[in-house]
Amino acid sequence: MSPAAAKASATDLQCSRDDLTLPLAGAGTQARCVGTYRQVPAEAVEMKARGLRIPLLLLLVIVVVKARLSHIQRWGGFKEQATSEKNMNSTIHFFIQSYNNASNDTYLFQVQKLIQSQMQLTTGVEYLVTVKIGRTKCKKNETKKASCPLQSNKLKKSLVCKSLIYTVPWMNYYQLWNNSCQGSKDLY
């Protein structure tokens, strides 16, 4: 090896111990590592640093996402509290329309009683509602009347429905996320 090549390779080396790198003294000094240190090419150190970028970025993303999720969870979960009557009425109206549109029943159903209402703030408002609904005398294909009386004969049917409804009230946006209805034994 020529003296110029030896000098160039000496300045391109670093001393390394236990994956920690220490640069050598300034240019022009002879490359020398003392004790248990060994000479490592600078390119190897750069490659090792590049290899750590992606795991460190993933760790940063995980920390940020976890912080944001814990912030959302601190909003409190579902709570029974007074809600605005306007928001609750429009939410219940949305629910019964969704139920009637999805139902195979010939007759429309209407809400008889709001049994329980809980809300949770997220990016909008989530309502967990339990309502009692009943079959009316109005058929689906008829023009909608202002009010429909409930069935009182053998066609009488009542259900208790638990629903999760997501809404962004200030944008007039509603979405039914979950709904389950069971026959009512007139407990409510």
Side-chain angles (χ1 to χ4, degrees):
M1 182 185 300
S2 73
K7 186 176 182 179
S9 67
T11 59
D12 289 334
L13 295 177
Q14 293 186 346
C15 293
S16 173
R17 179 180 185 204
D18 299 328
D19 293 332
L20 295 174
T21 58
L22 303 170
L24 292 176
T29 62
Q30 188 149 4
R32 173 183 116 170
C33 297
V34 247
T36 58
Y37 292 95
R38 57 185 165 67
Q39 290 184 338
V40 177
E43 292 171 356
V45 172
E46 282 181 41
M47 287 178 57
K48 191 178 282 188
R50 272 189 234 133
L52 291 175
R53 285 183 190 157
I54 291 175
L56 287 175
L57 283 173
L58 287 174
L59 180 62
L60 179 64
V61 167
I62 290 169
V63 167
V64 169
V65 167
K66 180 136 177 73
R68 291 208 180 257
L69 287 177
S70 68
H71 174 71
I72 289 172
Q73 290 171 345
R74 275 183 271 160
W75 282 352
F78 285 100
K79 294 182 179 169
E80 265 188 78
Q81 62 187 42
T83 56
S84 103
E85 191 173 322
K86 179 184 175 192
N87 286 348
M88 184 49 65
N89 287 342
S90 57
T91 302
I92 296 296
H93 180 72
F94 167 77
F95 161 74
I96 201 64
Q97 280 185 327
S98 298
Y99 180 84
N100 283 326
N101 288 340
S103 170
N104 292 329
D105 203 295
T106 308
Y107 296 92
L108 293 173
F109 279 76
Q110 72 181 16
V111 175
Q112 292 177 276
K113 181 179 181 182
L114 175 61
I115 299 168
Q116 184 180 32
S117 169
Q118 295 177 322
M119 69 174 281
Q120 169 178 270
L121 292 176
T122 57
T123 53
V125 182
E126 293 176 24
Y127 289 104
L128 187 59
V129 295
T130 304
V131 292
K132 180 178 180 182
I133 63 174
R135 184 186 283 149
T136 67
K137 293 182 179 181
C138 296
K139 291 190 175 185
K140 280 185 175 181
N141 57 3
E142 293 178 354
T143 58
K144 299 195 181 195
K145 299 176 185 175
S147 67
C148 294
L150 291 172
Q151 292 280 355
S152 58
N153 56 15
K154 65 181 179 180
L155 292 177
K156 181 179 180 177
K157 183 176 183 180
S158 292
L159 301 170
V160 174
C161 300
K162 291 185 180 188
S163 304
L164 177 61
I165 302 162
Y166 173 75
T167 177
V168 184
W170 55 93
M171 295 177 65
N172 201 26
Y173 175 82
Y174 297 88
Q175 189 174 22
L176 184 63
W177 281 356
N178 194 4
N179 183 44
S180 66
C181 297
Q182 296 179 351
S184 169
K185 305 285 186 215
D186 286 332
L187 297 174
Y188 296 102

